[in-house]
Amino acid sequence: MPGGRLTQQDRQRIAAGLAEGLSYAEIARRLDRPTSTISREVARNGGPGGYRPQQAHRATVRRARRGTPAPPRAAGPRGGPVEEEIIELAVRSGMPRMTARVHVDLLMSEDGRRTAAELAHRLQVSPASVSVAVNFLVQQGFVRRERDPRRRRDVYVVDDEVWYHSVVISARQTLESARAALARAETAGLDTPAGQRMTRAGAFLERVTLDMLESADRWRPLLM
């Protein structure tokens, strides 16, 4: 059933889908699973080129038997080379390292859900550090905040739709900058060098971001 643990047969079908060159979304549809479940499963077990269903299943069984592994020291990223690579890519793109670590921990979790306390415990960092990180991720659309009424605390969620929302939020912020540049160009004077420079920059950014928003809407069904 959707949301249940992957079986060995599921993993064999994932491997077959990867061999056919199918997207994660298509494999997920064939297994009736969320796309994020497939992407996390592959990322945890060698990536698209190194995924082996038998090894992945044995690794999952071992993890289940020994329980959640002890969290590492805060000085380094948790997990293996896949997680470390994703963190480094995020840092190079401008994301603070702690924020990247929180994001990757959510991405690689079984169901894409953690409380702030769980994140602090797993990453061995202060609750304040987690709070700053998750607030940034929520504002940028990378994570969704939900309220757990039973435990009366927030739960932070990564699902397929957050990718769409993060792209849209980023594009709208750039669009605001583009239109501010166009307005500033009029103030400076459209016949001045500064005005002309701002006009070109604003027009370029406006067109690119409008195309991005249109593209995000067009390809959004891939996440469903």
Side-chain angles (χ1 to χ4, degrees), residues 162-177:
V162 299
W163 300 110
Y164 169 81
H165 292 300
S166 65
V167 168
V168 168
I169 289 172
S170 176
R172 286 175 177 168
Q173 291 172 342
T174 304
L175 187 58
E176 289 179 6
S177 299

Side-chain angles (χ1 to χ4, degrees), residues 7 11 15-16 33 36 42 62 75 80 88-90 106 124 132 146 148 158 165 175 184 192 213 218 224:
T7 65
R11 292 186 166 91
R33 302 277 183 161
S36 56
V42 175
R62 286 196 300 269
E88 292 303 321
L89 287 171
L106 279 164
Q124 290 292 280
V132 171
E146 293 182 356
D148 184 346
V158 171
H165 292 300
L175 187 58
R184 183 69 182 86
T192 65
L213 288 167
R218 183 168 66 252
M224 299 176 182

Side-chain angles (χ1 to χ4, degrees), residues 164-217:
Y164 169 81
H165 292 300
S166 65
V167 168
V168 168
I169 289 172
S170 176
R172 286 175 177 168
Q173 291 172 342
T174 304
L175 187 58
E176 289 179 6
S177 299
R179 290 174 174 168
L182 293 172
R184 183 69 182 86
E186 292 187 6
T187 302
L190 298 179
D191 57 346
T192 65
Q196 292 170 4
R197 190 161 53 247
M198 297 295 284
T199 297
R200 288 193 294 269
F204 171 79
L205 291 174
E206 183 178 49
R207 286 311 322 163
V208 168
T209 51
L210 288 174
D211 285 350
M212 186 180 295
L213 288 167
E214 182 182 343
S215 181
D217 286 333

